[in-house]
Amino acid sequence: MARIAVIGAGMGAMAAAARLAVAGHRVTVYERSATYGGALGAFERDGFVFDTGPGLLHLPAVWRDLFLKTGKEPLERCVGLTEVDPASRHFFPDGSAVTLPNASRAGIVSALESALGAGAGERWGDFLGRARDAWDRSRRPLLEEPLWDDWQVLGRDPYPALRQRRMLRTRQAATVAEVGALELADPRLAALLEGCALAYGLDPRHAPASAALLPYMEQTFGSWYVAGGMEELARAVYERCLARKVEFVFGSEVTSVVVRDGRAAGVGLAGGAVAEADQVVAGADIPLPAGQELWGDGDVRPQVGPGAGQLPGRFTVLLGLRGARPASAVHRSVVHSPDTGAEAAAVFGGRLAERPTVTVLRPDDPRIRPDGAHEAVTVTATVTGHGGAVDWRDKALRERCAEALIDAAGTAVEDLRARALWHEILTPAETGGVPAPSLAGFGGRYLHPANSTRLPGLHLVGGRSHPGGGLAHAGMSGALVAGLIVEGADFRGSR
């Protein structure tokens, strides 16, 4: 039985902790804040409850697998999990709109064909077929296996872009934006793809075409809602950890990784104490002693993609509304920007987008509102990160951006301003950056650092390590780290 110190109580870290404890290890989690869950938080006011991080669950199989592998009680017995159907309603600048069903390719094709005109559904269906090929080709090495030493094989883009004869030359889409322009050939379909990429923290102008697997993943495996909000999933994972004898130390800031005899031997805590350990799992950035390198020449290093000086973030407006949620309301609506390219240029150029893509979440959940005569609505947009040219602590700036988002959300929520009791604002200054999922292509520039490091005994977990950001990917990283520690060199990936 090894002593394992886990830094941070985010979802990836807790997923690793639960699996390691089941394998017989003594696991202690050190979290500098007063609670668990990382990005999965909640805000409460006047009987309203809002998610402060992701509001929907994709690829629930990742978390079902965690609960299956760590105990007899399945995920659905620990949280209420409901398919969101319809999955989304999209509003476009030309006044058109489409409502997409959940996890039904045929239904999505039919809806697009009816709403956007002849050929739109067929083009999107053909695109999903190519996206499925990209998923099938990259799923195992990109998501279910550790990042091996020959990670360069993931430098090739698995998306089978169409070869198109244009003028005197043949062109193939290499980026998300080029897929939209060359293959989808409709600005509304392009907005569906580019808006999805942007929501995941990717710049559609530069992200490889392999990002097509993101809308494929959502539209194939569906969108799910956790009753009571996503913090309930964090609570369930935390309680599973406690049931497996994982120890949590809250209010305990880790300031360093202790290195002895060339390997990680514990963690240094604020105040000078040292917690000895045989293995360290880091779910947060921790400084190492001078001269200690985690990566060498040829290794995958942390990055955020071409043209990006920092991670983007999310601007969120939480709205308490008077009046019952209408029966015709859709859980998720997206009001698309008239120019996603200009929006991306602003987000990744350290500026404010004039008209961003706005997502509106309206859960039909009595647990998140004071009574049936009120409704809780969350409005979000991807924005430039905090700490650069934009200071998200500026009160006037925050209110100005909130007003812009509320205006856009009014397209999806009738009488929004008249119904609003109050609003609260969250920005990247409070919630941090949005690490993107790992993607194949472009020579590996969109891969994240491997879970194993050059320092023996130190592993990385969470959205800033392989296989990247997002709730599902965080859970995968926990499974990979646990496998590497338990099985060592014999571990060949999740099964």
Side-chain angles (χ1 to χ4, degrees):
M1 178 178 71
R3 299 167 301 171
I4 299 178
V6 178
I7 305 170
M11 295 300 287
M14 288 199 296
R19 292 175 182 270
L20 289 166
V22 166
H25 297 296
R26 181 181 172 185
V27 183
T28 303
V29 178
Y30 299 91
E31 168 59 48
R32 66 180 178 180
S33 74
T35 190
Y36 52 82
L40 296 193
F43 176 86
E44 300 184 26
R45 175 177 169 180
D46 300 339
F48 294 89
V49 181
F50 305 86
D51 288 314
T52 58
L56 290 173
L57 181 64
H58 303 293
L59 276 184
V62 172
W63 299 99
R64 289 187 179 121
D65 182 70
L66 171 70
F67 278 74
L68 176 66
K69 299 291 176 56
T70 59
K72 296 179 180 179
E73 197 173 22
L75 174 62
E76 277 82 355
R77 232 181 253 177
C78 300
V79 297
L81 203 57
T82 306
E83 284 191 77
V84 174
D85 200 6
S88 56
R89 180 172 291 161
H90 297 263
F91 297 88
F92 301 103
D94 67 353
S96 60
V98 62
T99 301
L100 301 180
N102 195 47
S104 170
R105 177 173 171 178
I108 290 169
V109 168
S110 177
L112 290 170
E113 195 77 7
S114 298
L116 304 187
E122 181 180 0
R123 286 195 300 277
W124 187 262
D126 291 343
F127 159 73
L128 286 182
R130 294 188 292 276
R132 179 194 59 206
D133 290 343
W135 170 266
D136 290 341
R137 294 172 181 176
S138 61
R139 176 182 60 84
R140 181 73 185 168
L142 186 67
L143 302 177
E144 298 176 355
E145 295 180 351
L147 199 58
W148 303 117
D149 291 340
D150 62 347
W151 59 265
Q152 287 85 352
V153 299
L154 289 170
R156 296 189 292 271
D157 195 321
Y159 180 77
L162 295 177
R163 296 177 63 86
Q164 299 187 15
R165 187 77 176 176
R166 294 291 179 97
M167 302 295 286
L168 299 178
R169 60 193 181 103
T170 299
R171 292 192 62 187
Q172 282 183 285
T175 67
V176 168
E178 289 174 352
V179 171
L182 297 176
E183 297 183 3
L184 297 177
D186 184 316
R188 298 165 298 181
L189 295 180
L192 286 178
L193 173 58
E194 294 178 14
C196 179
L198 196 58
Y200 277 93
L202 293 162
D203 184 343
R205 302 169 304 158
H206 300 298
S210 63
L213 60 81
L214 297 173
Y216 168 80
M217 178 183 73
E218 289 192 10
Q219 295 186 2
T220 300
F221 304 111
S223 300
W224 301 74
Y225 175 70
V226 177
M230 294 294 284
E231 191 180 43
E232 286 298 300
L233 177 63
R235 175 198 55 76
V237 176
Y238 170 68
E239 291 181 353
R240 178 54 56 90
C241 286
L242 292 180
R244 298 300 168 261
K245 309 302 181 185
V246 175
E247 180 182 358
F248 286 80
V249 184
F250 294 108
S252 182
E253 182 178 2
V254 174
T255 57
S256 65
V257 173
V258 176
V259 178
R260 292 198 193 100
D261 300 324
R263 63 172 293 112
V267 295
L269 306 176
V274 172
E276 305 285 344
D278 302 300
Q279 302 270 356
V280 175
V281 176
D285 294 332
I286 299 297
L288 291 170
Q292 180 66 60
E293 297 290 339
L294 293 187
W295 298 281
D297 293 338
D299 290 337
V300 177
R301 297 170 180 265
Q303 52 75 46
V304 291
Q310 61 185 4
L311 290 175
R314 290 194 179 94
F315 190 99
T316 303
V317 183
L318 313 175
L319 289 143
L321 305 185
R322 63 171 63 88
R325 179 184 186 272
S328 60
V330 171
H331 189 119
R332 175 173 59 169
S333 295
V334 182
V335 182
H336 288 276
S337 169
D339 189 340
T340 311
E343 178 185 9
V347 170
F348 292 91
R351 306 190 310 278
L352 300 180
E354 290 186 13
R355 295 180 62 186
T357 298
V358 173
T359 298
V360 181
L361 297 181
R362 308 176 70 182
D364 186 10
D365 184 354
R367 297 174 59 177
I368 67 168
R369 57 191 182 228
D371 52 48
H374 293 85
E375 182 181 6
V377 172
T378 301
V379 182
T380 63
T382 302
V383 295
T384 193
H386 176 66
V390 176
D391 182 359
W392 285 115
R393 295 167 299 188
D394 184 311
K395 291 183 179 180
L397 174 64
R398 292 161 69 99
E399 286 295 341
R400 188 166 71 249
C401 290
E403 290 299 312
L405 263 64
I406 293 171
D407 282 343
T411 302
V413 183
E414 189 175 358
D415 298 325
L416 175 59
R417 285 195 176 276
R419 295 177 59 199
L421 296 168
W422 46 259
H423 69 263
E424 297 280 354
I425 300 171
L426 294 173
T427 76
E430 294 85 44
T431 57
V434 180
S438 290
L439 296 173
F442 283 179
R445 281 182 288 167
Y446 283 82
L447 299 175
H448 290 257
N451 307 109
S452 297
T453 71
R454 289 204 164 193
L455 178 63
L458 176 63
H459 290 81
L460 308 181
V461 74
R464 293 176 183 262
S465 64
H466 180 73
L471 186 54
H473 293 70
M476 294 174 195
S477 76
L480 292 173
V481 166
L484 288 164
I485 291 176
V486 172
E487 299 183 30
D490 294 330
F491 180 63
R492 304 308 298 173
S494 303
R495 291 185 292 274

